[in-house]
Amino acid sequence: MAVHTVRAPRGSALTTRGWPQEAALRMLMNNLDPDVAERPQDLVVYGGTGKAARDWPSYEALVRTLTTLGPDETMLVQSGRPVGVFTTHEWAPRVLLANSNLVGDWATWPEFRRLEALGLTMYGQMTAGSWIYIGTQGILQGTYETFAAVAAKRFGGTLAGTLTLTGGCGGMGGAQPLAVTMNGGACLVIDVDAARLQRRVDTRYLDTVASSVDDAVTQAVLAKNSREALSIGVVGNAATIVPELLRRGVPIDIVTDQTSAHDPLSYVPEGIDPADAPDYAAKKPEEFTDRARASMARHVEAMVGFMDAGAEVFDYGNSIRGEAQLAGYERAFAFPGFVPAYIRPLFCEGKGPFRWAALSGDPADIAATDRAILDLFPDNESLARWIKLAGERVAFQGLPARICWLGYGERDQAGLRFNEMVADGTLQAPIVIGRDHLDCGSVASPYRETEAMRDGSDAIADWPLLNALVNTASGASWVSIHHGGGVGIGRSIHAGQVTVADGTALAGEKIARVLRNDPGMGVIRHVDAGYELAEQVAQDQGVRIPMREG
Ligand code: NAD
């Protein structure tokens, strides 16, 4: 089967039988655009092996089916392969997806890989297999917010005069250097693959690549001391360089990591050339896993060393602590995950990564929606700062898109405004509205979003399933249930939704429900876990909680 170069159609002419189908088609294709995907030839979008379709024949069947799908039909997708079309109704999603799900006792990487090798499943990550990846910008805003929270907690509200050390400059991790410099700080980022660092320089997420570790340290310390916002990449293995920087006593203030540690076959062990890693991992997966985990243990041990020396250290959602623990390093969980450390209060307010893409392909449509957001929320200063910086600094990848964190009661307002702008011709074509699965009420992930919940309910996975059901019942355009994204097989269950603003009255009714009920899941989930802030939001916004009534 031929490998394609895929690019979504642009403009206001339909190539399918309706805008919801057209949106799904364009966003599937956009996920595989060479400007967006990390390895489009393998259908891999981001996050190690996160794919948009199982194989090329499945991709072609998806495109064929979306092109002919009626407005009262629903296509079912099982781990990247279309498996059926049923007659439903206009309010039903046009696509329902389930990716990478396995029954509990079988939910291990070796079993997943066995089934994947048989062609029976694929790894969907979060927005890869649910067709709403928008490139590195998607994570940039969340990363920007996280570093802003670090600045607020430890450094007087700015990262100016601080040095952040991190690893991994891939699809998600590549957002880190820009997020740090947007907060005024200096950043040193290690990646084993020089091409990944160069790609981030080309897209303006990274300022420069150093010629050696010595050069990197000199530049980084100079930037810190002169309070310059500068990001520096250095080629090497994080398991070697992080301990070396600790030994040298480099004055590092913040340490985190976004190497692809969630999958021990994606983390390159010390002593292995990244070019040889895929072949080695495929031929000897167990040996590779042992070596990768041993390297991760050394990497995490050095992160703990930085913590002991007074740095702010956190796990950035890649499960590196879990892998280091499996290698026998006992203090792996000495530092916290980023959600309990910085993000949970936002989740209590139903806040999370609201994102949208312009199907016209014209950046002018995103500029118009940016103005609409500023107009809708004039008192939100950090939102205004983000929208302004994003407009200046973010290079679009694929279809122009934007992300900002909005809460309960805000997302539906924004969605309805976009729908009006499509209806009155301010925008040239419909807008696709979705979100990351890393949201307030859509994930069960004990190493990440639900780490250290107040009532101990970290591993309860009913919530994301209810989230998918309520979005289906509310009129979302496509809804997905995934397993393993972000943190790896066996460690998370999560759900996604995407809703299309095509300017019709029906779309308006769907948007009003979906974009209220979806973040509403975050509010009720955190009320149930005993967070007072969530209780307050529920009370102020009239979210009904049966156990608090009567
Ligand atoms: P990716 O596969 O695109 O990039 C990973 C990078 O790590 C690559 O550039 C690779 O060369 C590098 N790398 C691998 N081993 C290394 C080593 N030993 N030393 C130095 N560099 C090494 O993955 P991504 O999309 O950037 O995601 C990174 C991680 O973050 C994944 O584990 C993913 O699951 C997780 N993630 C976190 C969040 C979050 O919100 N915090 C969201 C999504 C994904």
Side-chain angles (χ1 to χ4, degrees), residues 314-332:
F314 60 95
D315 175 307
Y316 212 162
N318 64 354
S319 211
I320 194 163
R321 293 171 301 169
E323 294 297 324
Q325 192 178 50
L326 285 171
Y329 176 54
E330 283 174 7
R331 293 187 68 206

Side-chain angles (χ1 to χ4, degrees), residues 358-395:
L359 292 181
S360 66
D362 190 339
D365 276 359
I366 290 299
T369 54
D370 281 350
R371 288 192 293 276
I373 291 286
L374 295 175
D375 179 52
L376 274 173
F377 309 109
D379 301 328
N380 188 334
E381 276 174 33
S382 77
L383 177 67
R385 188 172 73 230
W386 159 255
I387 293 285
K388 181 173 170 293
L389 283 168
E392 289 166 8
R393 300 284 306 262
V394 169

